[in-house]
C-alpha cells in the first residue's frame, strides 16, 4: 500500500547540510500497523513529515521514491498533496494541545476538515462532527462540540485530534508520538482507542515512538531507526527475544521490565555490581498532615489534602501518581520553594515548613535539601555555561571562589560522568543526557542530605534514562543520599526505590515496600497504574 | 555519554564574526554605526572649518569642492556643522535611551516578577503615559521644565520608558516560574538576585532590538524638539535646528541648507533601525553553535 525506497532527507543549516534520513526502505501492507522506533535524532519524525511532504523550511527529499497506492508522492503536485493529506493519509501529532487551534471550538475544527474535503455541507456538518466525536468515544459529544481545547484534558484533546484525523476516513494514519506527555492510564486509553479504530476501519497505520515497549504492544511489525538508517526490522516478539543489531539490543535492555534489576538496563559490559546503600532506622524527613490549597477562579483547589509520610536516613522513597495528583506540589513544599497551607515538615526533628520559603534561602539547612528538576533544559539558565550552573550553589552557599571552585566543579563533572570539555558549553549546545548530568551535578554539589528527584528522566531517551538512573544509584551509595523520587512510572520507581507511596487526588492511596507494591498492590488505582504500563515481551537471554 | 570527538564551540569573538558575515545588512549597519561613532568622537578635530565661524563674504554658497555641503546664510560651513552635530545628537539619544532602559527595566522587572497590586498600579501608570501623543508630551515636559539639553534627555526618556517596562514585564513574567529560576533559589539566591542575575539577562535579546530602534526614535525626537524651537539653541550645531533654519531658504532655492542635515539625520536613524537584529543575535547565546 505504501512503499518507500531509499528515501533520503537533508536539511540546510548554518553548519552545512544535515542528513536526517539516509536512505530507508519500508513497505506497509494493507491493515498493518508498523512501528517506527528510535531515539531523538534518529530521523523517525522526519521520515513521516517527508511522506506527507510537510518538511520544515530548509528540508528536502534528496533521493528515493515514495509510492502510495500507485501515486508518486515525491513528485505529486502540491494541489494533489493537499487532497491526499487528510483524506487518504492523515496524521496525529505529538502535542495534542499544540495541534488544536486554541481559540476555536473543537467541533468547528472537525467541521473545517470535513468541509475542506467535501465530506459535509453547511447543513449537516454539525451532525457529522458530533458523530466523529462519538467515534472516538468522547462522552457527551453534543456538549463537547462547543468546548475549547483549554477546557479539555490532555487525553481528551488527543481524542479530538484523532477525531479530526479520522473524520475523512483516511486509509493510512500516521501517529507521531501520540501519547508523549499523557498520563500512563490515559496513554493506554488513547492507544487502545486508536488500535480499535484502525482495526474496525481496516486502515493501515504507522506508529512513531521512542518507546519500544509501547510499539511492541500495539504494532504488527517494528522498524528500529538510528542516525537516519534502519538498523533492524521484524515482529515485536522477535525484536525483543532475539535482537540482532547491537543498537536494538541496547534499546531492549534499556526498556524497564518486570523483574529486572537497575543494572540490567545497561549494556552487559557496563553492568558493574551495584554498591549497597545503608538505610538507617532514623527519620530524616517527616511529613505530618500536609495540605496545600490554592485559590482558584471557581473556588479553592485542594492540591494536597493532608498527607503524612517519612523518609529515613539513606532511604529512597518513590512518590508515584499521575498529573494533578499533588506530587509536584508536595515536592515543591518539601524543597521549600512553596509554603504549605497547613501541616509540618520535620527535617531532623525540626519543623522547616514554618519558615517561609522566601527566608529559607538564607537558612543553614538550604544546602541539605536540594532538587533535580523534571526538565533539564528548562532548569538550566540559557545564558550560563555548564560550569557556571554547577558553580552557582558552591559560590552562593559555600562561598567558594577561584582555583578551589574550579577544582570542585571539575570533580563534580567527573562524578556525574560529564566530559570536562563540555563544561564551557551553553545548555543548547548539550544533549538531553548531558543537561541532565549538569542538573544532577548542581544538585549534589553541596553534598545535600535529602535530594528530591522530580521525574529526572521524563524527557530523556530510554538509553539515556538507563544511564542516568544508574548514575543516581551510584551517587546514592557514594554520598549516602536519601532520595524522594517523584514519578508517574511505577516500573522506573521500583528500580531505584526501597519504599513506594502512591498518590491520587492529593491523598496517599497506598504505600509500602517497593517489592510488595509491585507484586500485590491492594488499592485498585495502583493496580490500574501497573496494568496501564506497556508490557514488552519477555527477553529470552540468548545463549552466547 | 559517548561523543568523544567534540566539535569546537565558538567563542564570543568568533560568534561576532559569524553574525556579521552571515548577514550583510548587519555588517553594513555596524559599518555605518562605526562611522557615526567616529564622527562623534573625532568630528570636531577633523572638520575643515570651525562650525561656528561666520564668513559674510561666503554666505549661501552651493555645494562645491571647498564647501562640500555649501554654506549657510552667515557663511558657516554646512559640512563641518553636520559632522560636529553628530556628537550632540548621539549624546542626547544615547543618554535618553540609557535612562529609559534602566528605569523601564527596573519597573518592568519588578512588576513582572512580583505581580499583584504593584503590577496593576504600574500598568495603569504606563497606560496613562502612552495615552498622550508622545511628541506633544515631550514638548510639554521641555516647555515646563525649561529649555535645556538635560530636559530634552529627560523628556525623551520619559516617553520611551513605557515601551521598555512593557517588554521587560512580559519577558520576566514568562520566566518567573521557569525551572532555572527555581533552581537558582535552591542555590541560595534571594528573589532579588534571581531576578537581577538569572531572569533579567534572559530578557536582553528582545531588549536590544528595542534599544536600537529607540535610539533612532530618540534622535528624531531630539531633532524634532529643536526644530520647533525647544531644546538646543542656535548657534549650536544640531541637525534639527539646521533643518529648521534651512527650511526658510528652500523656497528661494538654497536647498542644501535643509537637505544635508536631513539626510544625515535619516542616515543615523536608518543605521540604528538596521542595527537591532544584529545586536540581538550577538547578545543571544542560543544563536551560537
Amino acid at each position: 500500500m505504501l512503499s518507500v525506497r531509499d528515501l533520503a532527507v537533508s536539511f540546510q543549516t548554518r553548519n552545512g547540510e544535515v542528513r536526517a534520513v539516509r536512505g530507508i526502505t519500508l513497505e506497509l501492507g494493507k491493515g498493518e500497523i508498523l512501528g517506527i522506533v528510535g531515539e531523538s535524532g534518529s530521523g523517525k519524525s522526519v521520515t513521516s513529515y517527508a511522506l506527507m511532504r510537510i518538511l520544515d523550511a530548509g528540508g528536502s527529499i534528496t533521493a528515493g521514491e515514495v509510492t502510495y497506492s500507485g501515486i508518486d508522492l515525491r513528485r505529486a503536485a502540491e494541489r494533489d498533496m493537499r487532497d491526499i493529506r487528510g483524506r487518504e493519509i492523515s496524521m496525529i501529532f505529538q502535542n495534542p494541545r499544540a495541534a488544536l487551534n486554541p481559540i476555536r471550538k473543537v467541533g468547528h475544527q472537525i467541521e473545517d476538515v470535513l468541509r475542506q474535503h467535501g465530506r459535509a455541507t453547511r447543513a449537516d456538518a454539525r451532525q457529522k462532527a458530533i458523530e466523529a466525536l462519538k467515534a472516538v468515544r468522547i462522552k457527551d459529544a453534543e456538549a463537547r462540540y462547543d468546548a475549547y481545547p483549554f477546557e479539555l484534558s490532555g487525553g481528551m484533546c488527543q481524542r479530538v485530534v484523532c477525531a479530526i484525523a479520522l473524520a475523512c476516513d483516511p486509509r493510512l494514519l500516521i501517529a507521531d508520538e501520540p501519547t508523549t506527555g499523557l498520563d500512563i492510564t490515559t496513554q493506554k486509553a488513547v492507544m487502545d482507542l486508536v488500535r480499535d479504530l484502525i482495526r474496525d476501519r481496516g486502515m493501515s497505520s504507522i506508529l512513531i515512538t521512542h518507546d519500544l515497549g509501547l510499539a511492541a504492544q500495539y504494532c504488527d511489525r517494528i522498524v528500529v531507526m538510528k542516525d537516519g538508517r534502519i538498523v533492524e526490522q521484524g515482529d515485536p516478539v522477535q525484536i525483543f527475544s532475539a535482537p540482532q543489531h547491537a543498537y536494538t539490543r541496547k534499546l531492549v535492555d534499556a526498556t524497564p521490565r518486570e523483574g529486572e534489576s537497575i543494572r540490567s538496563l545497561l549494556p552487559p559490559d557496563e553492568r558493574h555490581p551495584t554498591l549497597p546503600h545503608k538505610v538507617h532506622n532514623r527519620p530524616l524527613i517527616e511529613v505530618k498532615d500536609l495540605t496545600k490549597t490554592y485559590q482558584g477562579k471557581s473556588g479553592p483547589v485542594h492540591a494536597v489534602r493532608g498527607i503524612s509520610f517519612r523518609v529515613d536516613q539513606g532511604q529512597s522513597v518513590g512518590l508515584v501518581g499521575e498529573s494533578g495528583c499533588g506530587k509536584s506540589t508536595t515536592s515543591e513544599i518539601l524543597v521549600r520553594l512553596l509554603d504549605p497551607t497547613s501541616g509540618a515538615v520535620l527535617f531532623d526533628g525540626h519543623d522547616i515548613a514554618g519558615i517561609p520559603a522566601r527566608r529559607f534561602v538564607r537558612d543553614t539547612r538550604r544546602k541539605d535539601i536540594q532538587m533535580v528538576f523534571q526538565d533539564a533544559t528548562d532548569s538550566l539558565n540559557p545564558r550560563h555555561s555548564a560550569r557556571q550552573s554547577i558553580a552557582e550553589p558552591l559560590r552562593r552557599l559555600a562561598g567558594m571562589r577561584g582555583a578551589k571552585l574550579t577544582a570542585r566543579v571539575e570533580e563534580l563533572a567527573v562524578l556525574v560522568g560529564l566530559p570536562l570539555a563540555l563544561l564551557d558549553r551553553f545548555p543548547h549546545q548539550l544533549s538531553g543526557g548531558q543537561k541532565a548530568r549538569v542538573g544532577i551535578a548542581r544538585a549534589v554539589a553541596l553534598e545535600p542530605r535529602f535530594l528530591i528527584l522530580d521525574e529526572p528522566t521524563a524527557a530523556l531517551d530510554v538509553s539515556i534514562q538507563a544511564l542516568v538512573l544508574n548514575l543516581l544509584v551510584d551517587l546514592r551509595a557514594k554520598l549516602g543520599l536519601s532520595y524522594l523520587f517523584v514519578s508517574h512510572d511505577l516500573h522506573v520507581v521500583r528500580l531505584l526505590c526501597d519504599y513506594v507511596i502512591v498518590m491520587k487526588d492529593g491523598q496517599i492511596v497506598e504505600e509500602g515496600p517497593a517489592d510488595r507494591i509491585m507484586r500485590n498492590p491492594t488499592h485498585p488505582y495502583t493496580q490500574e497504574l501497573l496494568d496501564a504500563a506497556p508490557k514488552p515481551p519477555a527477553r529470552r537471554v540468548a545463549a552466547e | 555519554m559517548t561523543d568523544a570527538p567534540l566539535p569546537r564551540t565558538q567563542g564570543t569573538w568568533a560568534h561576532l564574526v559569524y553574525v556579521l558575515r552571515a548577514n550583510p545588512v548587519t555588517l553594513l549597519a555596524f559599518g555605518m554605526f562605526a562611522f557615526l561613532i567616529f564622527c562623534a568622537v573625532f568630528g570636531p578635530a577633523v572638520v575643515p572649518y570651525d562650525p561656528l565661524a561666520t564668513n559674510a563674504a561666503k554666505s549661501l554658497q552651493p555645494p562645491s569642492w571647498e564647501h562640500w555641503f555649501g554654506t549657510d546664510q552667515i557663511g558657516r560651513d554646512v559640512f563641518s556643522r553636520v559632522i560636529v552635530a553628530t556628537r550632540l545628537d548621539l549624546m542626547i539619544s544615547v543618554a535618553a535611551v540609557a535612562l529609559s532602559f534602566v528605569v523601564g527595566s527596573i519597573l518592568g522587572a519588578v512588576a513582572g516578577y512580583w505581580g499583584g497590586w504593584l503590577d496593576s498600579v504600574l500598568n495603569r501608570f504606563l497606560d496613562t503615559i502612552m495615552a498622550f501623543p508622545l511628541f506633544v508630551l515631550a514638548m510639554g515636559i521641555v516647555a515646563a521644565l525649561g529649555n535645556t539639553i538635560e530636559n530634552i534627555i529627560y523628556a525623551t526618556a520619559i516617553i520611551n520608558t513605557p515601551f521598555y517596562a512593557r517588554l521587560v514585564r512580559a519577558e520576566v513574567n514568562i520566566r518567573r516560574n521557569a525551572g532555572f529560576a527555581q533552581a537558582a533559589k535552591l542555590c541560595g539566591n534571594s528573589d532579588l538576585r534571581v531576578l537581577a542575575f538569572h531572569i533579567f539577562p534572559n530578557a536582553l535579546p528582545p531588549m536590544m532590538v528595542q534599544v536600537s530602534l529607540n535610539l533612532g526614535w530618540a534622535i528624531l525626537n531630539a531633532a524634532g524638539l529643536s526644530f520647533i524651537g525647544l531644546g538646543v539653541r542656535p548657534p549650536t550645531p544640531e541637525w534639527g535646528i539646521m533643518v529648521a533654519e534651512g527650511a526658510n531658504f528652500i523656497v528661494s532655492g538654497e536647498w542644501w541648507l535643509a537637505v544635508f542635515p536631513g539626510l544625515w539625520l535619516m542616515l543615523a536613524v536608518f543605521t540604528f533601525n538596521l542595527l537591532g537584529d544584529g545586536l540581538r543575535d550577538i547578545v543571544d547565546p542560543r544563536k551560537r553553535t
Side-chain angles (χ1 to χ4, degrees):
Chain A
M1 180 174 184
L2 177 77
S3 133
V4 177
R5 203 158 302 287
D6 297 324
L7 179 73
V9 181
S10 294
F11 286 88
Q12 296 299 334
T13 70
R14 173 169 158 180
N15 297 321
E17 193 184 22
V18 174
R19 293 164 66 205
V21 177
R22 307 167 175 225
I24 64 164
T25 301
L26 282 176
E27 292 286 339
L28 179 69
K30 204 167 159 49
E32 188 181 30
I33 304 181
L34 175 73
I36 300 184
V37 180
E39 299 190 292
S40 42
S42 63
K44 55 190 194 304
S45 291
V46 172
T47 305
S48 66
Y49 296 160
L51 300 184
M52 296 283 272
R53 288 249 310 270
I54 49 171
L55 289 168
D56 287 344
S60 60
I61 301 177
T62 50
E65 302 290 326
V66 182
T67 321
Y68 168 80
S69 302
I71 309 167
D72 182 352
L73 290 188
R74 189 179 165 196
R75 289 183 189 79
E78 183 54 33
R79 272 181 63 140
D80 298 334
M81 283 309 294
R82 231 175 292 157
D83 230 28
I84 290 171
R85 288 181 207 130
R87 204 167 66 189
E88 291 289 330
I89 309 178
S90 70
M91 198 156 174
I92 302 179
F93 291 94
Q94 207 168 94
N95 181 350
R97 257 178 229 290
L100 293 172
N101 185 339
I103 57 159
R104 300 203 68 206
K105 292 176 177 174
V106 296
H108 291 168
Q109 301 192 39
I110 298 173
E111 283 182 9
D112 288 344
V113 184
L114 288 167
R115 292 181 58 190
Q116 173 78 32
H117 291 287
R119 288 300 181 105
T121 59
R122 189 184 286 270
D124 64 357
R126 184 186 168 93
Q127 194 48 45
K128 286 198 170 159
I130 290 173
E131 277 166 27
L133 285 173
K134 279 183 182 154
V136 292
R137 297 184 207 149
I138 288 180
K139 283 187 210 118
D140 206 2
E142 278 89 351
R144 291 288 175 244
Y145 174 93
D146 290 315
Y148 290 95
F150 72 87
E151 295 172 319
L152 302 175
S153 67
M156 206 63 112
C157 282
Q158 193 58 292
R159 280 167 203 240
V160 173
V161 173
C162 286
I164 291 174
L166 297 175
C168 296
D169 289 316
R171 290 163 57 207
L172 171 61
L173 178 72
I174 300 176
D176 184 6
E177 303 265 13
T179 58
T180 309
L182 298 183
D183 279 328
I184 203 149
T185 51
T186 316
Q187 162 170 304
K188 185 172 159 58
V190 168
M191 283 311 300
D192 285 348
L193 169 74
V194 169
R195 183 184 51 191
D196 293 350
L197 290 171
I198 290 169
R199 292 270 183 261
D200 292 349
R201 299 174 182 214
M203 295 160 55
S204 308
S205 176
I206 298 178
L207 171 67
I208 293 166
T209 177
H210 65 279
D211 187 343
L212 199 51
L214 188 73
Q217 191 162 358
Y218 291 99
C219 299
D220 304 316
R221 200 152 55 84
I222 291 178
V223 166
V224 180
M225 276 186 78
K226 183 182 196 294
D227 297 336
R229 290 199 180 87
I230 292 180
V231 297
E232 186 164 356
Q233 46 184 316
D235 69 82
V237 178
Q238 181 199 336
I239 293 262
F240 263 89
S241 57
Q244 299 301 314
H245 193 275
Y247 179 71
T248 318
R249 230 167 317 177
K250 188 172 150 196
L251 271 190
V252 170
D253 281 335
T255 306
R257 268 151 306 160
E258 256 174 87
E260 301 264 1
S261 77
I262 191 160
R263 286 296 192 219
S264 65
L265 297 179
L266 295 173
D269 53 330
E270 288 172 32
R271 292 177 194 162
H272 315 292
T274 318
L275 302 169
H277 69 285
K278 266 204 288 292
V279 180
H280 306 272
N281 192 14
R282 185 153 41 92
L284 179 67
I285 287 270
E286 278 177 282
V287 176
K288 289 183 173 162
D289 268 330
L290 196 68
T291 66
K292 177 72 190 176
T293 308
Y294 293 103
Q295 282 315 317
K297 282 211 172 91
S298 49
V301 179
H302 302 280
V304 178
R305 308 161 177 247
I307 58 167
S308 305
F309 62 90
R310 63 183 255 191
V311 180
D312 285 340
Q313 206 117 45
Q315 193 183 30
S316 297
V317 173
L319 187 60
V320 183
E322 300 194 304
S323 49
C325 75
K327 61 185 193 304
S328 294
T329 307
T330 307
S331 60
E332 275 186 40
I333 292 172
L334 291 191
V335 83
R336 301 306 300 117
L337 282 173
L338 195 66
D339 291 320
T341 306
S342 72
V345 176
L346 304 187
F347 180 77
D348 257 349
H350 301 284
D351 186 26
I352 53 169
I355 307 166
R358 204 158 29 83
R359 273 197 278 135
F360 196 75
V361 170
R362 281 186 283 280
D363 197 281
T364 49
R365 287 165 292 189
R366 174 70 283 169
K367 68 180 185 59
D368 292 329
I369 306 173
Q370 290 289 326
M371 180 155 165
V372 176
F373 290 85
Q374 180 168 4
D375 184 348
T377 310
D378 179 53
S379 75
L380 297 178
N381 190 332
R383 300 184 68 85
H384 285 186
S385 64
R387 184 187 298 280
Q388 284 171 299
S389 285
I390 300 174
E392 182 77 10
L394 297 168
R395 296 169 66 94
R396 298 295 309 151
L397 289 171
M400 269 190 214
R401 296 286 187 276
K404 208 172 150 201
L405 180 68
T406 311
R408 177 69 181 144
V409 169
E410 290 180 358
E411 189 188 342
L412 283 163
V414 172
L415 183 71
V416 299
L418 186 74
L420 294 184
L422 297 181
L423 277 177
D424 291 309
R425 289 204 180 178
F426 289 102
H428 72 278
Q429 297 164 329
L430 298 170
S431 71
Q434 290 161 349
K435 279 183 273 200
R437 280 165 201 256
V438 174
I440 293 170
R442 174 176 61 189
V444 300
L446 295 163
E447 308 206 337
R449 294 169 61 197
F450 182 53
L451 191 59
I452 295 175
L453 307 164
D454 186 6
E455 308 230 19
T457 61
L460 301 177
D461 283 328
V462 280
S463 62
I464 310 296
Q465 165 173 293
L467 291 171
V468 170
L469 288 177
N470 276 283
L471 168 67
L472 290 169
V473 168
D474 294 340
L475 286 177
R476 172 173 66 184
K478 280 185 205 157
L479 305 176
L481 296 169
S482 307
Y483 287 156
L484 182 73
F485 191 109
V486 180
S487 176
H488 66 279
D489 191 344
L490 265 173
H491 288 276
V492 171
V493 166
R494 171 189 71 88
L495 293 166
L496 197 70
C497 297
D498 311 306
Y499 193 84
V500 173
I501 296 166
V502 182
M503 268 183 90
K504 185 174 194 275
D505 298 335
Q507 280 166 326
I508 294 176
V509 295
E510 183 166 10
E511 59 182 305
D515 291 340
R516 209 270 296 152
I517 296 267
M518 296 300 292
R519 255 182 293 116
N520 42 14
T522 53
H523 196 276
Y525 180 68
T526 318
Q527 185 67 52
E528 195 186 332
L529 281 182
L530 281 170
D531 287 345
K535 304 244 174 345
R539 163 133 205 241
R540 249 182 286 136
V541 180
E544 284 168 286
Chain B
M1 263 102 300
T2 50
D3 39 5
L6 299 165
R8 280 176 53 91
T9 52
Q10 289 178 329
T12 310
W13 180 248
H15 178 63
L16 189 75
V17 171
Y18 167 76
V19 168
L20 292 183
R21 279 178 52 170
N23 191 347
V25 174
T26 304
L27 186 64
L28 176 73
F30 273 80
M32 284 162 52
F33 182 59
F35 174 69
L36 284 177
I37 296 291
F38 175 83
C39 291
V41 176
F42 299 106
V46 296
V47 291
Y49 301 92
D50 180 349
L52 297 178
T54 57
N55 184 348
K58 284 193 165 186
S59 65
L60 291 175
Q61 293 199 347
S64 62
W65 278 115
E66 213 175 325
H67 297 281
W68 291 356
F69 292 178
T71 58
D72 67 4
Q73 70 279 17
I74 47 174
R76 293 174 300 194
D77 180 44
V78 176
F79 176 72
S80 302
R81 287 174 64 77
V82 164
I83 297 295
V84 168
T86 311
R87 183 185 288 183
L88 181 63
D89 276 286
L90 279 193
M91 200 192 74
I92 293 174
S93 64
V94 169
V97 167
L99 207 60
S100 47
F101 179 89
V102 171
V103 175
S105 296
I106 293 173
L107 293 180
V110 167
Y113 191 76
W114 279 285
W117 63 269
L118 204 65
D119 190 24
S120 311
V121 169
L122 195 85
N123 266 320
R124 295 300 82 74
F125 173 64
L126 296 178
D127 284 345
T128 314
I129 293 184
M130 291 177 88
F132 285 99
L134 292 181
F135 189 73
V136 177
L137 180 63
M139 275 166 53
I141 295 170
V142 176
L145 292 180
N147 212 348
T148 63
I149 290 176
E150 292 91 85
N151 289 338
I152 298 186
I153 294 174
Y154 295 142
T156 311
I158 288 171
I159 63 171
N160 281 327
T161 302
F163 297 99
Y164 290 96
R166 284 271 166 92
L167 187 64
V168 174
R169 180 187 167 278
E171 293 288 327
V172 166
N173 201 286
I174 53 173
R175 294 184 174 87
R176 176 163 68 164
N177 287 320
F180 69 84
Q182 305 268 43
K185 286 184 202 164
L186 295 189
C187 294
N189 290 288
S190 60
D191 279 336
L192 203 59
R193 282 190 65 96
V194 171
L195 178 57
F197 297 110
H198 290 267
I199 297 179
F200 179 69
N202 280 290
L204 280 178
M207 296 283 282
M208 281 302 128
V209 178
Q210 184 72 17
V211 162
S212 93
L213 289 177
N214 241 201
L215 280 170
W217 293 345
I219 289 185
L220 276 182
N221 194 64
L225 286 173
S226 304
F227 181 88
I228 57 169
L230 286 164
V232 184
R233 283 180 222 187
T236 319
E238 198 280 336
W239 297 330
I241 304 175
M242 293 172 72
V243 174
E245 291 180 347
N248 302 326
F249 293 89
I250 284 189
V251 201
S252 51
E254 285 91 12
W255 52 271
W256 57 91
L257 288 186
V259 165
F260 286 109
L263 213 58
W264 227 247
L265 185 60
M266 193 201 83
L267 194 76
V269 176
F270 185 59
T271 303
F272 288 122
N273 288 355
L274 289 185
L275 212 55
D277 287 351
L279 269 181
R280 178 198 57 204
D281 290 349
I282 286 169
V283 297
D284 191 347
R286 273 167 299 187
K287 297 278 174 187
R288 297 188 192 181
T289 55

